Amino acid sequence: MPPTGPARRGRGRGRGATTREPIASRSSLSSRINNGPMPTRSGSSPLIHLQVTGWTDSAAVKTTENTSTLIRALTQWLERKARVIQDKLPQHAGIQKRGNVRIRKSKVEKDVLHIYVTAEDSTAFSKLDGYEYAQATINIRAIGGSRPARDSPARSPAPGQAAFSFKSNKETESLKETLRQLLTTRYDAETKVLNFSNIGEEPDVKELLKQPNNTTTKLFAALCAVFEDVFPTPEARKEAVTGIILSNNGWHSASIARPLALEFPDIQNLDLSNNKIGGIDGVSHFRRCLELQHIILSGNPIEQTAEFKKDVLRAFPKLALVDGAVITPADREGIQIHGATPKISPGLFEDTTGLGAKFLQTFFAGFDTDRTTLLNYYYDKNSTFSYAVNNQSLRDPSAPKPRKGEWDAWIYNSRNIWTLTSAGVRKSRLHKGSRSIGESFKTLPPTQHASSEDASKWLVESVPISGLRDPSGQSPNGVNGLTITIHGEFFEHPTNSNKRKHRSFDRTFILGPGGNNPDGVGIISDMLVVRSYGGTKAYETGAQVAMSPEEERAAMVAEIMRQTGMNLQYATMCLEQTEWKFDTALESFNQAKANIPPEAFVQ
Amino acid sequence: MTDFEAVAKQFVTFYYDTFDKNRADLSALYKDHSMLTFEAQPTQGTGAIIEKLASLPFAKIQHRVDSLDAQPSNETGGILVMVTGALLIDEEQRAMMYSQTFQLQPDGAGSYFIFNDVFRLVYPA
């Protein structure tokens, strides 16, 4: 089966669950909270005029000379962000599906970008006020009549001053007041904790849930909307809430509280104790909380499951504590993402977390089919990318002779610093940030890499690297990642018989925290070498030649390292002590692992 | 900021010159926590790495660098260096293509050492 491309951002967990909900009737909780303009078909409703300013301070302005490119990028960004926000808004009849959230018209006047959007979409766009775009703060103001939802990121609307999404009517105001009251008793600003323990027993909540179509999930969505009045920006919310308590609710799944996972993706503590959660799927909506350091699941049936701790560690890579107990390197041993081991071999693949393997499965499929999505998924503003052409590499006898202009598609941006002497040119061909990398990707011809199932065409090796930038800023000495070196092949212009070319490539990635995906795996560095097709002979030699006793031992060491996460020295010791019997070595490791010192593991 | 490109180029020149003249002299570039992965076989520590390189079954060797690229790689001043080129062994006419990736780290004394070194033949002819 060919690898599947990266999941598109936002599909899957968050969104899928929201859209499956029955659409609330207008009398329900969420529609009363978000009592916006009357639902109308787009086209018949008048467009709302919004002014976007602040973007002229962005880094993008300094690096992009072409205004239309710049504006296109900005409007696409606004639409993308608005769609994400639309997802989080309580759903009600008439609110459009996110795919339709878009800017209908736009024009630029000096420092002001005027955009025109439908009334339904305008709430989402207005909420972008105060967002950061390429290091600049974006301001959004509604013109004529309607006011935007936010005046400034730091101020909440005064009581009585209706925000755009809240039509001023008594019923809504009274409901909002109820929810505000609920928040004042349930939010502790000092400890930065939202405590929704035993929420169903709260008299006000009981009352609200009596009404038809109201659900606890909608209640959380509405509470989030009220919370946003006080803390309008993601940064403010990250600062305001670091922990959420959802204990004693009798839930079979934490998905009931999924609006909280969307609203507070940066929480570090999550208490789900004394519910009825039976499996790891019950916390899947909170997997987007990549910063989670402590999870409490005591008093849930999941605790009795065989792989409890491993399942939890797989789901939340940064956990330091589970149920109050400190996680040791031994707890993380052998943790691999389910079903993510690609059939890519041989080579030393020292990928103890399985994240590298998962990356490989998605990366090349994405590179071939949808580079834009791939960019958003794995690259961020700190990623670097460059490539070099090696036009002196030997060809496989099967490869046709190079033609005139053989490397035209590649050579003008090739960064071979062995021969390239101009510092300015070198610099211009090293791309930093997904934007610049995207521009470079666009210049590359379409590609089709060999299927990752076809092991004979790939050679992958991976070694750890330390000192990577920690986006959370909590590790002054940096964090660990993986360096992955890949040798393989692809077709350039796979569907154009005149331009089709078989190539070999070598590509090195450094993977670390970052990106924009549920695993939190990002590309720190991406370095590519493209050369003539050189065949697969080199990849076969190791497999075909009978191994010498030393090679056999080396292969055993590599496999023990891979399976246990121990470093070379300890893996070797482990095998020596068991007289190079592989299975015995692995068994003795599993027995003794609780007592193995931390220095035994790859740091 | 250090000119990582100049460092990479100087390093690569020095590394292959030394390799081709006297492999044992490369010991200055590795440390005890350095790791060499040579054709999928891992070796750790200066002594073991030099031993591994010395045991390679050829007397005379010459490296030809065809492509070199480098990027700053981490917060601690590391440089990721990627080389592809050809090995000319014992005066054989036919070259063997290789790919080698180095992770260089500053050694704190104004110089760099090899933290990781991953070598692969990509076309053995």
Side-chain angles (χ1 to χ4, degrees):
Chain A
M1 204 179 76
T4 52
R8 279 175 194 267
R9 217 186 133 203
R11 303 249 166 98
R13 302 185 218 301
R15 178 63 190 176
T18 319
T19 48
R20 276 197 303 274
E21 260 170 38
I23 293 172
S25 76
R26 284 190 49 78
S27 65
S28 75
L29 179 68
S30 52
S31 68
R32 280 166 52 200
I33 276 294
N34 195 348
N35 201 352
M38 287 295 286
T40 45
R41 299 247 166 253
S42 64
S44 63
S45 71
L47 294 178
I48 306 281
H49 176 192
L50 301 171
Q51 277 192 354
V52 184
T53 52
W55 51 275
T56 43
D57 298 330
S58 76
V61 172
K62 286 160 207 146
T63 52
T64 317
E65 283 172 22
N66 185 332
T67 313
S68 65
T69 311
L70 183 76
I71 296 301
R72 196 168 58 239
L74 175 62
T75 51
Q76 283 171 355
W77 177 85
L78 288 166
E79 287 179 333
R80 212 163 53 234
K81 292 287 173 190
R83 280 169 199 154
V84 173
I85 288 176
Q86 187 75 302
D87 267 1
K88 298 191 205 173
L89 291 174
Q91 303 282 304
H92 68 88
I95 283 279
Q96 300 194 341
K97 293 213 167 64
R98 60 179 285 184
N100 294 333
V101 176
R102 63 173 206 266
I103 295 169
R104 309 287 158 153
K105 274 199 305 188
S106 69
K107 65 177 182 196
V108 185
E109 259 178 14
K110 289 186 181 163
D111 294 353
V112 182
L113 169 68
H114 301 271
I115 60 173
Y116 300 85
V117 301
T118 62
E120 293 94 322
D121 295 352
S122 64
T123 307
F125 281 104
S126 298
K127 284 188 185 227
L128 294 175
D129 186 39
Y131 268 52
E132 196 161 300
Y133 175 72
Q135 292 155 29
T137 304
I138 296 293
N139 297 307
I140 298 188
R141 242 162 39 81
I143 301 301
S146 318
R147 292 186 55 80
R150 317 279 169 238
D151 287 335
S152 77
R155 262 179 53 202
S156 63
Q161 178 198 351
F164 183 70
S165 55
F166 294 95
K167 219 181 202 176
S168 199
N169 72 43
K170 269 186 182 165
E171 204 186 353
T172 307
E173 273 311 311
S174 109
L175 174 58
K176 276 186 74 176
E177 191 48 42
T178 308
L179 295 177
R180 264 191 222 112
Q181 283 301 324
L182 185 61
L183 273 178
T184 53
T185 59
R186 293 292 185 152
Y187 171 61
D188 183 343
E190 203 165 306
T191 56
K192 301 185 178 183
V193 168
L194 274 169
N195 186 343
F196 295 120
S197 182
N198 210 354
I199 189 73
E201 292 304 308
E202 185 86 36
D204 282 340
V205 173
K206 263 188 173 168
E207 198 55 38
L208 283 170
L209 293 181
K210 273 184 194 159
Q211 298 174 34
N213 295 317
N214 281 350
T215 66
T216 311
T217 303
K218 285 177 196 162
L219 170 75
F220 281 120
L223 280 166
C224 286
V226 172
F227 201 84
E228 278 188 23
D229 275 352
V230 189
F231 301 99
T233 65
E235 292 73 27
R237 291 194 288 278
K238 178 180 178 176
E239 179 59 33
V241 175
T242 58
I244 296 179
I245 300 174
L246 298 168
S247 59
N248 298 299
N249 281 312
W251 295 340
H252 288 90
S253 167
S255 69
I256 286 174
R258 58 188 175 269
L260 297 174
L262 289 164
E263 191 77 3
F264 304 102
D266 300 306
I267 53 165
Q268 292 160 20
N269 303 298
L270 178 63
D271 182 351
L272 285 163
S273 56
N274 302 318
N275 281 292
K276 292 176 181 166
I277 298 167
I280 197 69
D281 291 348
V283 296
S284 60
H285 281 91
F286 282 87
R287 283 187 67 170
R288 68 192 338 269
C289 304
L290 294 170
E291 302 301 318
L292 207 62
Q293 294 183 0
H294 188 188
I295 191 166
I296 302 177
L297 283 160
S298 52
N300 284 280
I302 186 178
E303 271 198 316
Q304 312 304 323
T305 56
E307 293 274 281
F308 166 61
K309 215 178 226 178
K310 282 201 160 49
D311 285 343
V312 173
L313 290 177
R314 248 181 234 123
F316 303 100
K318 283 197 181 169
L319 281 183
L321 298 157
V322 174
D323 292 349
V326 177
I327 296 304
T328 64
D331 290 326
R332 293 196 188 275
E333 265 152 35
I335 289 186
Q336 300 216 341
I337 304 295
H338 280 306
T341 314
K343 289 180 183 164
I344 295 177
S345 61
L348 172 62
F349 199 79
E350 190 183 286
D351 175 21
T352 48
T353 58
L355 289 173
K358 197 172 176 190
F359 167 78
L360 288 176
Q361 278 192 325
T362 53
F363 182 86
F364 289 101
F367 192 83
D368 292 345
T369 55
D370 187 352
R371 288 180 200 159
T372 310
T373 302
L374 185 80
L375 268 171
N376 292 328
Y377 200 75
Y378 281 122
Y379 298 81
D380 55 37
K381 65 180 198 289
N382 295 307
S383 308
T384 50
F385 167 74
S386 59
Y387 72 85
V389 171
N390 177 353
N391 56 8
Q392 299 181 53
S393 183
L394 293 176
R395 294 190 320 278
D396 186 77
S398 74
K401 276 191 178 167
R403 287 182 287 190
K404 193 166 182 283
E406 175 78 13
W407 293 104
D408 279 2
W410 300 87
I411 203 76
Y412 298 111
N413 275 304
S414 166
R415 193 180 122 92
N416 179 356
I417 62 179
W418 191 247
T419 52
L420 202 57
T421 47
S422 157
V425 175
R426 285 175 174 181
K427 195 168 176 228
S428 71
R429 294 181 185 179
L430 173 58
H431 305 280
K432 181 161 186 185
S434 24
R435 189 190 155 74
S436 169
I437 295 169
E439 295 296 322
S440 175
F441 277 6
K442 274 185 211 151
T443 69
L444 301 180
T447 54
Q448 187 185 355
H449 288 77
S451 160
S452 69
E453 297 287 299
D454 191 348
S456 67
K457 291 180 176 166
W458 295 86
L459 217 146
V460 181
E461 293 173 82
S462 145
V463 285
I465 179 171
S466 59
L468 300 177
R469 204 179 76 88
D470 178 7
S472 72
Q474 286 170 351
S475 316
N477 296 324
V479 293
N480 295 341
L482 282 177
T483 306
I484 301 188
T485 313
I486 299 160
H487 312 284
E489 62 185 76
F490 65 89
F491 282 101
E492 178 176 320
H493 290 293
T495 56
N496 181 333
S497 56
N498 290 326
K499 291 177 160 180
R500 187 176 152 100
K501 288 191 174 76
H502 206 173
R503 305 283 196 205
S504 282
F505 74 92
D506 311 284
R507 197 161 185 166
T508 301
F509 294 98
I510 293 178
L511 301 185
N516 203 345
N517 54 68
D519 292 325
V521 172
I523 293 173
I524 315 282
S525 287
D526 175 359
M527 221 191 277
L528 169 69
V529 176
V530 183
R531 50 190 169 82
S532 297
Y533 178 61
T536 56
K537 252 183 160 176
Y539 315 158
E540 296 160 9
T541 47
Q544 284 181 348
V545 177
M547 282 200 267
S548 69
E550 281 131 43
E551 283 168 335
E552 220 165 81
R553 286 184 175 189
M556 273 197 259
V557 171
E559 190 57 23
I560 288 282
M561 287 171 72
R562 192 183 73 79
Q563 291 198 23
T564 64
M566 286 198 296
N567 61 29
L568 186 66
Q569 188 194 346
Y570 277 81
T572 311
M573 265 164 48
C574 177
L575 278 158
E576 278 169 351
Q577 284 164 10
T578 52
E579 296 174 334
W580 297 93
K581 291 192 181 81
F582 184 84
D583 293 341
T584 321
L586 202 57
E587 204 174 295
S588 78
F589 167 82
N590 284 325
Q591 280 167 8
K593 66 183 169 189
N595 302 318
I596 296 174
E599 61 264 29
F601 297 92
V602 175
Q603 297 297 308
Chain B
M1 195 183 117
T2 326
D3 183 354
F4 65 93
E5 291 165 354
V7 171
K9 198 164 180 178
Q10 277 168 22
F11 163 78
V12 166
T13 308
F14 179 79
Y15 183 90
Y16 292 121
D17 278 355
T18 309
F19 197 113
D20 296 350
K21 278 184 196 132
N22 182 9
R23 280 170 252 169
D25 289 349
L26 289 173
S27 61
L29 292 174
Y30 294 94
K31 284 188 186 292
D32 283 343
H33 55 288
S34 301
M35 192 146 157
L36 164 71
T37 312
F38 190 92
E39 291 285 282
Q41 292 179 29
T43 321
Q44 193 174 27
T46 314
I49 289 172
I50 296 304
E51 202 176 305
K52 172 73 194 173
L53 293 178
S55 74
L56 298 177
F58 41 71
K60 269 174 87 178
I61 187 161
Q62 202 191 338
H63 286 79
R64 182 189 83 204
V65 175
D66 289 340
S67 84
L68 162 67
D69 199 355
Q71 291 181 6
S73 61
N74 60 13
E75 295 291 283
T76 49
I79 305 171
L80 183 68
V81 179
M82 192 170 171
V83 182
T84 61
L87 281 179
L88 304 156
I89 295 171
D90 291 338
E91 289 162 357
E92 274 177 35
Q93 291 302 301
R94 190 99 169 134
M96 289 162 84
M97 307 306 300
Y98 72 92
S99 161
Q100 194 161 14
T101 302
F102 299 97
Q103 170 64 29
L104 305 183
Q105 281 295 131
D107 64 0
S111 193
Y112 288 80
F113 72 97
I114 302 169
F115 180 67
N116 263 317
D117 175 351
V118 182
F119 177 94
R120 264 290 177 176
L121 287 175
V122 290
Y123 187 46

